[in-house]
Amino acid sequence: MKKLLFNPSQLLTLDTHSKNVKRGTGLSEIDLLHDHSIVINNNFIADIIPNSSVNKNKFDRIIDVTGKTVLPGLVECHTHSVFTGSRADEFRQKLAGVDYEKIAESGGGINSTVRSVRQSSFEDIIKTVKPRIENFISQGITSLEIKSGYGLDFENEIKLLQVINYLNEIYPIDIIPTFLGAHTFPPEHKTTRDEYIDEIINKMLPHIAEQKLAKFCDGFCEATAFTADEIDLIFIRAEELGLNLKLHTEQFNSIGGLNTALKHNAVSVDHLEVLQDDGIIKLGKADTVSVLLPGVSFFLKYQYAPARKLIESNAIIALATDFNPGSSHISSLSLIMSLAALNMRMTIEETINAVSINAAAALKMNDKIGSIEIGKRADFSIFDTEEYANIVYDIGRNLNCMTIKNGEIIYNSAPSVT
Ligand code: NIG
Ligand code: FE
């Protein structure tokens, strides 16, 4: 099946010239084309051709996107979308001035969602989460990472990973599962930390690897969660079992997580709000992606990660929502781009690369997705605007009108365009 994505007003290829990543000054290059169309052959991008050489008779289908802006399918590389229950009560407390760490210390926070998830069946969770996946698809997101981390015992962590894998089967987008058993200590292990770590290392991880339930193993290195040494033990085992690594680190305290992640060549380090200058230099030299989550700073009224310094030091920056019930109840990726531009001084072009090619790098999928290059998957997000700057400027509005995954239209809010 040969299709033509015909005549977008603006085509942002984000061409990486086969490097499949953007860093430093390269982060602002978007390779904007006018008067070009994209040839799709089955699931892949076969060619990018000038409109003057288009012969429409050669195609089985023409998708006319005149007046629209085409980007690669967006990549959401850090979410906790699979949860049940609401923490609106904690939001009220936060508005009244109680801070996030205090709420966690007093039994709320992550463990409040754990209580809810443990009481929810597989079917209950699916029912709650489906509209969230559909919301992401409607934004042009064609690859979506989701973490476990609200079960915190064998049965419930596995249940969450099974939910994530099931969602990947029933939806046409790629849903990438991450095991986050090391999110925090569950209440029954507050004073028996070693026992919980032993359960992760000797029970959860081997089962997850054997059943292929997760691509990544993540953790939370923080004063209220795991120490760097505890993360080290978990990462050693996860690596042995063939899982890729990610780490939530340098969010509130710098307690050694970054060094542990770099020692294990983690694919990404996420948060980095309190990242120190020496860490910025290290990330500038590493291939580990710095995933910045400005929604968390906005939601918690907290400091932002040092995006400009990271870009100047040549680090690989990605952006994500961190969608979760406690620290970023925000599921709009374009709002995240606007926050990054306004509060972390990223340019519009930098935010676009950070939610596509570099987010793909944070999922180790950047050889297949994240930019519009010949041979890559035919994943596109099509925006109802002639000017790509509006995606970031039109704050809080979803301008995506069509999502294409593997060459198929999977969302279309403007059927008149085809
Ligand atoms: O990425 N930092 C740790 N975990 C999540 C928050 C989870 C929650 O509060 O439920 C985060 O911010
Ligand atoms: Fe997170």
Side-chain angles (χ1 to χ4, degrees), residues 8 73 210 240 254 268 315 376 380:
E210 208 235 331
E240 273 171 14
S254 195
S268 73
K376 282 200 167 180
F380 307 102

Side-chain angles (χ1 to χ4, degrees), residues 12 14 30 71-72 74 319 337 347-358 388-389 391-392:
L12 279 68
L14 315 185
I30 51 163
L71 261 69
L74 302 184
L319 288 167
M337 295 163 81
T347 66
I348 289 169
E349 291 74 15
E350 286 170 342
T351 69
I352 289 172
N353 280 311
V355 297
S356 46
I357 186 63
N358 283 2
Y388 72 84
I391 298 166
V392 183

Side-chain angles (χ1 to χ4, degrees), residues 177-196:
T178 293
F179 169 57
L180 181 56
H183 200 182
T184 195
F185 288 88
E188 65 274 20
H189 282 300
K190 277 275 170 301
T191 55
T192 49
R193 294 169 77 100
D194 290 354
E195 280 178 26
Y196 186 57

